[in-house]
Structures are given as C-alpha cells and as structure tokens.
Amino acid sequence: MSAEPKKLFIKTYGCQMNVYDSDKMSDILAPLGYEQSDIPDDADLVILNTCHIREKAAEKVYSELGRIRPIKEDRLRKGKPALVAVAGCVAQAEGEEMVRRAPVVDLVFGPQTYHNLPALLERVAKNGSGVVETEFPAEDKFAHLEAPSAARTIARGVTAFLTIQEGCDKFCSFCVVPYTRGAEFSRSVEQITTEARKLAASGVREVTLLGQNVNAYHGIGPDGGSWSLGRLLNHLSEIDGIARLRYTTSHPRDMDEELISAHRENPKVMPYLHLPVQSGSDRILKAMNRQHTAQFYFDMVDRIRAARDDIALSCDFIVGFPGETDADFEATMDLIRHVNYAQAFSFKYSPRPGTPGADLGDQVPEEVKSERLYRLQALLREQQIAFNKHCVGLELPVLLEKPGRFEGQLVGRSPYLQPVHLDAEITQVGEIVTAAIVSVGANSLSAHIVSN
Ligand code: 5AD
Ligand code: SF4
C-alpha cells in the first residue's frame, strides 16, 4: 500500500514499553504514508505517548498540549491541518476528560487500542475530533501489530525491545499500572519467536523482553502448555544472530527456579537483573501490598547470586510511602547496604488517584520525603560508582552499538548494561568485542579493544 507522504511526530514519555509502543504506532502508520519527524511543527499527526506512573503526569501532558495548540492553529491558517492524539496511560486514565479540558486534542486512545490506530484516524476524519477509545478490546492487539520491516529495524540499531507480557494483577497499593494497562496478559511463544527471528534477521544482536511483570510470563507454548520466562529465554537463545537476552521488570515473587537456572546455564542471558523491592521495611511492604518480606528478598538475592555470582542487581525504591517512619526508612537503607546494587532508580511517593495508597492517612510531609530521597540516592550513587570502579582492569565482552561523541569512537554496552566508550570502526557496530576497561566516568566506562 502506498499513500501521500505525511509527517508523524511522536513524543514518548515514561518506560521502555512506551518506547516499544511508539515504534509500533509508527510501524502501523507507515503504510498510510506517515514518515517520522523530529519536530511537531511540520507534523500532520502529533502523538503524545504518555506515562501516568508518577507525579503530575496529566499536568505535564496538558502543558505540552498548550505548546502544541498554537502550532496546530498556525498550520490551520496555512491550510495544512494537523491532528493531535494522546496515547498511553494518561490517555487511559483521563479519557473523555482530556477532550473536554484540551479541545486541541482530536483523539484519545489507550494502550490496548494501538492496533486500531488507522481505523481511529478514519473515525476522526469522518466524525470530526473528540474521538475517545479507552476500551480493553477482547482481541489480541499483538496479533494485529506486525513486526517492523527490515529497513525500519536496521534504522533502530542492534538492540531492540520486544514486549512479551503486559498488564499486572499484583495491585501494589501505590501503582496505577493494573488500572491503566489492565490485567496481566502473556503473548504466545510463537508470536514472540516470530518477532524475535525478524529482529535477528535485520541485524539485531540483543533483545530486551519487556513486561510490567515480565517474570510472571506464562504464554502458550508450541506444545499447548504454559511456558515460563526461563523456558522462553532458552528457546529464544537458539535463534541465530541473537547474542544477548535481557528482560525487565521482574517481581521478586515471580523469580522461579527455571529463570534462575537460565542465568546459571545460558550464557546469552545477561548477568543483570532489575528486581525492584520498593522498601526494606516489612511493615511498609505489607502496606504496599508487595506480598513479600525483606527476608524473602534477601533469600532470593542469595539464590540468584549462587547461580551467577557476577550478576549486577538493579532496583526501584519509593521513599515516603504513607506511614513510613524514620525506622522504616532506615530499614530500606540497611537493605541497600546488605544487597549492594550496581544501579537503581528511586522516587518520592506520589499519590496516584484511584489507587489505595492515595486514600491512606499519615501521608509523609514533602520535606521529609526529599531528605530521605537525598540520603538514599547518595548511598545508591556510592554503590554504583564502586561497582563501576571494580570493573577497571577487567576484560568484558562489549556489544558495539553506535557512534560515540568523538570521531573514531563507538559506544557499546557491557553485560552489566554500562555504556562503554572505545575506539573502533563504524563498520564494527553489531560486533561483540573483548574490551579491557581502563577508566570510569560518571555513568560510563572507557576501554580499549583486546580482541575482536
Ligand atoms: N509513587 C512513586 N513511585 C512510584 N512507582 C510506581 N508508582 C509510584 C508512585 N505512586 C515507581 C516504583 C516502580 C517504578 C516503575 O515506579 O518504584 O517500580
Ligand atoms: Fe505496579 Fe506492583 Fe504491578 Fe509492578 S507489580 S506494575 S509496581 S502493581
């Protein structure tokens, strides 16, 4: 199918799944003639792919829409009308409210409706603006979202995201995901394998499997049974060309023996694990409905490290959940000291409308949250620097990804997801080289190639 060339501008907020979804939207619009643009000014269609996980997310989207309005009006005066669409979790949460508050918006559509985007645009063309689609359709949206063409994949580089699972049934009391992304759903092994094969055939060397609860994966396998993530990883590792596999985000309760064994036995499964704990206090973990204790987490970390002792752990923390005392916070600091992280993300608790946490009394004052976050981040930063420093002198396999800042330089990734700068030829992108780590910067390593 070919059509008049049109410009598409997508702004992506939030998590890696949104990055994947934005690429899918762009892929599904390509046959309608849409080419991607880096600026909203020349776009015939602007999509804001939004995130609702924390603070003032909706407000940020409304102010971005305020900036887009004059661009749209200006284009209209010049006889080049533009459409404005809002996708993602804010769209899901706000729905009709969005078109009421921001009439600049022509289309609001939730994460489970992306495969219907061409039809939704047709509805706007026919009925005018104000179309809102936030249903959770019964059909499998992934069945309608094709893997991208080889040319589009090549343009995106040698690493790729692949969503294998979506939604969440855990209902942590601070989190909007079960409401915006819906119930947990796993794609079939066959669908995932087909997509991974296409990625590999287009030069992708590293695939990161995505899911809000990725290790709760339980998709249907070719044998008709339900497959775990560990089994899926082993299966995907057999695809020619795929050298590295990663997955994110995991829940401690869903780390099963098959997955831990994959880390022990399968060299393509990278020794890096993002395993959020959120808090180190059992009282707060209970209030958060995390369904595990700090001790459970410690034991899990021990099991994982026994399987792969060089594994780098990463985490998410929330400070200032309602009712968090100094002692609760200190328990989190103790947990961090005990586990020792290579990397971590940390946030002040932000009450999300509609979640149980938002209705709890005893909200922690803002200045207390800020002070705790500051101390927590200082400790995590110390651990990250120590982890990076311990890599100096090691020889690590590095996947060369893209040009670096300087001529003759490339940036790659270590197994532990650290960016590594080294001198190499552009033609080497996609190769895995052995690199001697010589120094550490703020967030990256410098190295030289020992062998190709
Ligand atoms: N407030 C602060 N942080 C949150 N997260 C999720 N919901 C909230 C919230 N209401 C954090 C958690 C989660 C990460 C993706 O975002 O740490 O693991
Ligand atoms: Fe949110 Fe908890 Fe589900 Fe993670 S496990 S997506 S934090 S509800």
Side-chain angles (χ1 to χ4, degrees):
M1 208 191 322
S2 71
E4 281 285 286
K6 284 175 263 179
K7 293 271 190 214
L8 165 69
F9 172 77
I10 306 186
K11 180 162 178 170
T12 308
Y13 301 77
C15 66
Q16 291 146 324
M17 194 171 284
N18 269 9
V19 174
Y20 176 87
D21 286 346
S22 291
D23 282 347
K24 287 284 175 199
M25 288 185 232
S26 162
D27 292 340
I28 204 167
L29 291 172
L32 305 185
Y34 282 100
E35 288 165 10
Q36 225 155 324
S37 158
D38 298 332
I39 48 168
D41 307 63
D42 65 359
D44 302 280
L45 173 60
V46 171
I47 301 177
L48 303 183
N49 189 8
T50 60
C51 168
H52 204 229
I53 197 93
R54 282 175 299 272
E55 258 202 298
K56 302 190 186 89
E59 293 314 311
K60 271 192 230 157
V61 176
Y62 284 115
S63 43
E64 182 69 25
L65 289 168
R67 283 189 286 277
I68 286 169
R69 204 177 89 192
I71 299 175
K72 181 174 173 176
E73 288 168 352
D74 190 44
R75 283 181 59 101
L76 198 60
R77 273 193 296 276
K78 292 178 179 150
K80 292 190 292 183
L83 292 179
V84 177
V86 182
C89 295
V90 174
Q92 185 66 38
E94 292 278 291
E96 298 281 349
E97 175 65 13
M98 194 133 231
V99 282
R100 261 196 299 277
R101 252 186 88 177
V104 64
V105 175
D106 300 291
L107 170 64
V108 176
F109 61 118
Q112 303 311 327
T113 66
Y114 296 161
H115 55 300
N116 291 328
L117 187 48
L120 290 169
L121 289 174
E122 233 167 72
R123 257 168 68 189
V124 175
K126 219 158 87 198
N127 307 340
S129 59
V131 172
V132 177
E133 183 58 275
T134 51
E135 290 301 305
F136 288 92
E139 79 255 25
D140 170 5
K141 77 169 170 181
F142 291 103
H144 302 266
L145 290 170
E146 286 266 314
S149 67
R152 297 175 74 78
T153 303
I154 290 164
R156 284 173 195 155
V158 295
T159 62
F161 294 133
L162 201 176
T163 294
I164 64 164
Q165 178 279 333
E166 209 175 330
C168 183
D169 293 341
K170 295 265 186 326
F171 290 91
C172 297
S173 60
F174 52 81
C175 187
V176 286
V177 164
Y179 311 95
T180 57
R181 290 273 171 174
E184 205 183 281
F185 167 81
S186 295
R187 297 176 71 186
S188 73
V189 172
E190 192 192 335
Q191 250 186 21
I192 295 165
T193 310
T194 304
E195 188 162 336
R197 281 213 185 95
K198 283 195 182 162
L199 292 171
S202 310
V204 167
R205 307 297 320 277
E206 174 179 302
V207 177
T208 301
L209 307 180
L210 298 181
Q212 268 93 22
N213 238 274
V214 74
N215 59 344
Y217 178 81
H218 58 269
I220 295 284
D223 53 4
S226 152
W227 281 33
S228 71
L229 178 60
R231 195 161 175 201
L232 177 71
L233 284 165
N234 288 334
H235 183 67
L236 296 177
S237 73
E238 285 165 14
I239 297 175
D240 272 351
I242 292 190
R244 292 179 161 192
L245 289 165
R246 303 181 184 277
Y247 58 93
T248 198
T249 289
S250 296
H251 192 287
R253 286 214 6 184
D254 294 321
M255 289 302 300
D256 64 8
E257 196 44 48
E258 226 168 359
L259 185 52
I260 297 173
S261 297
H263 277 287
R264 184 189 299 114
E265 282 150 26
N266 193 329
K268 291 191 179 177
V269 178
M270 287 294 98
Y272 182 94
L273 176 62
H274 184 59
L275 194 64
V277 67
Q278 314 297 354
S279 168
S281 153
D282 285 344
R283 218 173 57 80
I284 295 298
L285 287 169
K286 191 152 198 282
M288 285 176 164
N289 191 31
R290 288 290 294 178
Q291 302 167 42
H292 64 78
T293 59
Q295 191 57 50
F296 178 88
Y297 187 83
F298 290 141
D299 293 345
M300 185 56 73
V301 167
D302 286 347
R303 276 175 66 197
I304 296 161
R305 283 190 167 142
R308 179 87 203 228
D309 63 359
D310 70 332
I311 200 157
L313 290 176
S314 154
C315 201
D316 290 342
F317 296 96
I318 296 177
V319 299
F321 187 79
E324 186 187 73
T325 62
D326 283 341
D328 293 320
F329 174 67
E330 290 307 329
T332 305
M333 294 291 274
D334 285 344
L335 179 141
I336 295 171
R337 285 185 203 102
H338 183 91
V339 174
N340 199 5
Y341 291 96
Q343 218 250 324
F345 303 95
S346 46
F347 315 98
K348 288 192 254 186
Y349 172 66
S350 147
R352 311 312 295 136
T355 61
D359 298 328
L360 294 174
D362 218 1
Q363 298 281 336
V364 175
E366 200 52 34
E367 32 331 330
V368 176
K369 283 187 202 171
S370 299
E371 197 264 338
R372 287 180 186 165
L373 187 67
Y374 181 83
R375 285 184 49 210
L376 183 114
Q377 289 186 335
L379 176 59
L380 290 167
R381 181 97 192 121
E382 241 173 63
Q383 294 190 344
Q384 181 174 356
I385 291 170
F387 179 76
N388 286 345
K389 277 194 179 152
H390 111 278
C391 294
V392 174
L394 297 181
E395 289 186 0
L396 298 176
V398 171
L399 170 60
L400 302 175
E401 286 184 14
K402 56 186 176 200
R405 223 173 311 148
F406 305 108
E407 181 103 36
Q409 203 184 50
L410 295 185
V411 191
R413 293 265 176 189
S414 76
Y416 313 118
L417 214 52
Q418 298 142 302
V420 183
H421 299 270
L422 37 70
D423 289 342
E425 302 291 327
I426 188 77
T427 50
Q428 288 181 274
V429 165
E431 285 178 21
I432 295 176
V433 296
T434 304
I437 309 301
V438 288
S439 63
V440 288
N443 296 305
S444 64
L445 307 176
S446 293
H448 61 76
I449 295 180
V450 180
S451 62
N452 286 319

